[in-house]
Every structure is written in structure tokens, then in C-alpha cells.
């Protein structure tokens, strides 16, 4: 499909991160249970990957399950984990067809075994795909990621591999789950919530933020394109003054 004329193909964010929010409220508004909302969110994921790939976005990170989400009712957590396994199986062929590489961030060791196995398989199978990297944030929170990184760095201090007082930003970035990915340039959050909810706190330092009231299961091509148009309307100054970046 053609890129809309309102989008400048020379200014596409290389990494887009999305907080997919509002599944529960969308379902409840329809008199359905929350899991109905999560299941319907899969179509939005499909469509978003397709649009991102069309625009030649290189990395797409989707916040799928936070460390805080374990506090939800057990039934919802179990349903989400089952949906994850089912979706990996049902979508794998499409990921291959579209040359999508799957990657993850977050502490996967705490996910149910069948989830970990399915994820591992899909990550390995898609490892050589080159068009776009789809990064699923699973059992992820930024503070958890940072604490895991700090603990490994503390060990490196003991081993003499890091020297206190000489630790730089790159030393930390190497230890983050996102070590092999660039920082997101655009963050999208759906459902009208205007917060970061413990997502990529370090990596979003200079991201542009786009908020939309649309609930995730209703998120479609037009909404993704609107976010890109919004991104392109921003002047990214990185601390400088306007005249310096024009
Ligand atoms: C986002 O939708 C999906 C996950 C957090 C897993 P929610 O489930 O948070 O939906 P709302 O915010 O309650 O409507
Ligand atoms: C953030 O959404 C986490 C995911 C989208 C997976 P939440 O719905 O869990 O966040 P809060 O509770 O509204 O901050
Ligand atoms: Mg929510």
C-alpha cells in the first residue's frame, strides 16, 4: 500500500514503542469480559506491524505484560499467557512471510514454561529476518530492568571489570535488555492515559510522545499514520535552540 502523501518518507522514526492500553475498558463497554478485549487486540498488533513495516520503521516495541500486571486477577493473567502462546503459533507464518524478526525484553524466566518455549522457538526461527524487529516487552518494567542491570554491574565492580567513579552511560546501556536496539524516537499510548507506567524510563529520554483516546482493540492504520504525522510535526531540539536544529 502507498505511503500517505501527508507523511514524509525521509523522517520516519526508526524505533516506535507502544503502550497498548484499553483492552479491558473496550471489552467492558461492549458488555464482554476483559479477555475478549485482549483477544481483539491481536488484530491491532497485526495491523500495526504491517504499517510499521510499510513505513520502514526498523524497530517496533510493544508493551504486552508488565511486572505489575501479575497483580491482576489470576483468570486474566492465565488468559493473557494462553493468548500469548496461541498468538505466537498463529502468527509465526505471517512473521516469516513478512520478514519480521521477533525479539523480547523483560524477565522471561518468570513466564510459564510453555510461553518461554514458544517464544524461544519463534525468536530462533525469525532470527535472520531483516525487514523489521518486533520487540515484545513481557514481564517487563523499567525499574526491574534497571535493577537487574545494576546488580550485574555490581558484580563487575567486584570482579574489577568496572571501576566506581568511571562508570559511564554506555556501561549501563550494555546491561539493559535493550542493549542491541536504538532508543525509541516515538512513544504511542492508547486509551487516553497520559503516563509512562514504568516503561523504558531510561530509553525514552528524548522520545516524542503521542497519546490517543482510541482503545487498543480499535487501533488501526489511520491511528498509526496519525501518530507518525504528529511525530513529524515536532521540532526535536535535544536541548538546543530552534535556530540550531533547523
Ligand atoms: C492493556 O489493556 C493490556 C495489558 C495491560 C495486558 P488493559 O488490560 O490495561 O485495559 P484497561 O486499561 O484495563 O482498559
Ligand atoms: C501498561 O498498562 C502495561 C501494558 C500495556 C502491558 P497498564 O494498564 O497495566 O498500566 P496502568 O496500570 O494503567 O498504569
Ligand atoms: Mg490498562
Amino acid at each position: 500500500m502507498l505511503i500517505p502523501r501527508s507523511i514524509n518518507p525521509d523522517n520516519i522514526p526508526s524505533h516506535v514503542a507502544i503502550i497498548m492500553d484499553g483492552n479491558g475498558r473496550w471489552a467492558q463497554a461492549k458488555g464482554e469480559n476483559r479477555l475478549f478485549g485482549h483477544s481483539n487486540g491481536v488484530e491491532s498488533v497485526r495491523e500495526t506491524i504491517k504499517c510499521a513495516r510499510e513505513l520502514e520503521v526498523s524497530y517496533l516495541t510493544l508493551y504486552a505484560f508488565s511486572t505489575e500486571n501479575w497483580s491482576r486477577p489470576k483468570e486474566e493473567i492465565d488468559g493473557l499467557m494462553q493468548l500469548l502462546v496461541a498468538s505466537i503459533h498463529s502468527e509465526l507464518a505471517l512473521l516469516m512471510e513478512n520478514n519480521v524478526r521477533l525479539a523480547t525484553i523483560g524477565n522471561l524466566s518468570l513466564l510459564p514454561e510453555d510461553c518461554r518455549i514458544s517464544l524461544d522457538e519463534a525468536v530462533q526461527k525469525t532470527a535472520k529476518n531483516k525487514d523489521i524487529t518486533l520487540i515484545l516487552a513481557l514481564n517487563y518494567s523499567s525499574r526491574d530492568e534497571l535493577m537487574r542491570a545494576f546488580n550485574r554491574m555490581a558484580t563487575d565492580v567486584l570482579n574489577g571489570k568496572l571501576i566506581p567513579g568511571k562508570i559511564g552511560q554506555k556501561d549501563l546501556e550494555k546491561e539493559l535488555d535493550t542493549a542491541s536496539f536504538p532508543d525509541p524516537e516515538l512513544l504511542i499510548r492508547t486509551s487516553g492515559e497520559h503516563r509512562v507506567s514504568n516503561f523504558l524510563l531510561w530509553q525514552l529520554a528524548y522520545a516524542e510522545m503521542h497519546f490517543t483516546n482510541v482503545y487498543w482493540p480499535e487501533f488501526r492504520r489511520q491511528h498509526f499514520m496519525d501518530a507518525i504525522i504528529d511525530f513529524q510535526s515536532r521540532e526535536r531540539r535535544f536541548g538546543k535552540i530552534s535556530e540550531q536544529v533547523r
Side-chain angles (χ1 to χ4, degrees), residues 21-22 25 72 189:
D21 200 12
R25 278 166 285 164
R72 293 191 177 194
R189 184 168 187 153

Side-chain angles (χ1 to χ4, degrees), residues 20-25 34 69 72 189 191 193 195:
M20 310 182 287
D21 200 12
N23 296 353
R25 278 166 285 164
R34 298 178 54 86
N69 288 148
R72 293 191 177 194
R189 184 168 187 153
S191 88
E193 304 297 355
R195 55 177 169 263

Side-chain angles (χ1 to χ4, degrees), residues 19-28 34-35 37-38 63-66 69 72 76 80 189-191 193 195 215-217:
I19 302 177
M20 310 182 287
D21 200 12
N23 296 353
R25 278 166 285 164
W26 178 82
Q28 281 164 337
R34 298 178 54 86
L35 281 169
H38 298 313
Y63 204 0
F65 193 84
S66 76
N69 288 148
R72 293 191 177 194
E76 181 169 348
L80 276 167
R189 184 168 187 153
T190 57
S191 88
E193 304 297 355
R195 55 177 169 263
Y215 289 141
W216 180 251

Side-chain angles (χ1 to χ4, degrees), residues 107-127:
N107 183 358
L108 298 195
S109 70
L110 298 179
L111 294 181
E113 200 187 358
D114 58 339
C115 285
R116 278 187 281 123
I117 293 172
S118 307
L119 281 165
D120 273 357
E121 276 173 13
V123 166
Q124 280 177 29
K125 222 173 175 168
T126 61

Side-chain angles (χ1 to χ4, degrees), residues 11 16 29 45 53 57-58 63 79 87 96 107 113 122 126-127 132 151 165-166 168 188 199 211 213 221 237 241:
N11 183 24
V16 177
V45 170
R53 202 174 149 266
V57 168
S58 305
Y63 204 0
S87 304
M96 292 306 293
N107 183 358
E113 200 187 358
T126 61
I132 184 168
N151 277 295
K166 295 206 167 148
I188 301 171
F199 190 44
F211 299 102
N213 289 333
R221 178 183 174 84
R237 288 192 289 278
I241 66 168

Side-chain angles (χ1 to χ4, degrees), residues 11-230:
N11 183 24
I12 303 292
S14 69
H15 185 172
V16 177
I18 306 184
I19 302 177
M20 310 182 287
D21 200 12
N23 296 353
R25 278 166 285 164
W26 178 82
Q28 281 164 337
K30 292 186 161 328
E32 300 281 351
N33 71 17
R34 298 178 54 86
L35 281 169
F36 180 76
H38 298 313
S39 310
N40 276 272
V42 177
E43 179 59 28
S44 309
V45 170
R46 233 177 259 135
E47 177 119 351
T48 301
I49 297 169
K50 203 168 134 205
C51 296
R53 202 174 149 266
E54 258 173 55
L55 295 184
E56 298 184 24
V57 168
S58 305
Y59 300 88
L60 175 68
T61 297
L62 301 179
Y63 204 0
F65 193 84
S66 76
T67 55
E68 288 78 15
N69 288 148
W70 294 111
S71 320
R72 293 191 177 194
K74 185 176 182 308
E75 193 187 66
E76 181 169 348
I77 297 170
D78 292 347
L80 276 167
M81 295 300 156
Q82 280 164 21
L83 180 64
L84 177 64
V85 175
S87 304
I88 293 167
H89 291 149
S90 65
E91 304 306 309
L92 188 56
L94 204 62
L95 295 183
M96 292 306 293
E97 217 171 279
N98 289 308
N99 210 10
V100 181
R101 173 169 76 121
L102 183 69
T104 60
I105 55 172
N107 183 358
L108 298 195
S109 70
L110 298 179
L111 294 181
E113 200 187 358
D114 58 339
C115 285
R116 278 187 281 123
I117 293 172
S118 307
L119 281 165
D120 273 357
E121 276 173 13
V123 166
Q124 280 177 29
K125 222 173 175 168
T126 61
K128 294 207 168 73
N129 291 350
K130 295 248 164 356
D131 275 10
I132 184 168
T133 300
L134 169 67
I135 304 158
L136 291 183
L138 290 162
N139 188 28
Y140 176 86
S141 78
S142 195
R143 288 182 174 180
D144 179 69
E145 173 191 40
L146 287 163
M147 290 318 300
R148 285 185 281 112
F150 294 151
N151 277 295
R152 283 194 296 271
M153 290 168 81
T155 309
D156 283 347
V157 167
L158 284 179
N159 295 334
K161 288 186 196 152
L162 283 177
I163 300 162
K166 295 206 167 148
I167 298 172
Q169 298 190 7
K170 290 271 175 294
D171 295 311
L172 171 61
E173 282 169 352
K174 274 198 301 219
E175 293 299 333
L176 295 177
D177 298 348
T178 52
S180 54
F181 315 126
D183 287 345
E185 293 181 278
L186 170 63
L187 172 75
I188 301 171
R189 184 168 187 153
T190 57
S191 88
E193 304 297 355
H194 296 186
R195 55 177 169 263
V196 187
S197 297
N198 215 347
F199 190 44
L200 300 171
L201 300 177
W202 174 276
Q203 298 88 337
L204 291 174
Y206 267 101
E208 298 299 326
M209 312 268 177
H210 174 85
F211 299 102
T212 166
N213 289 333
V214 168
Y215 289 141
W216 180 251
E218 287 178 333
F219 192 85
R220 289 294 175 271
R221 178 183 174 84
Q222 186 55 50
H223 306 115
F224 189 80
M225 298 302 171
D226 286 348
I228 301 290
I229 292 166
D230 190 17

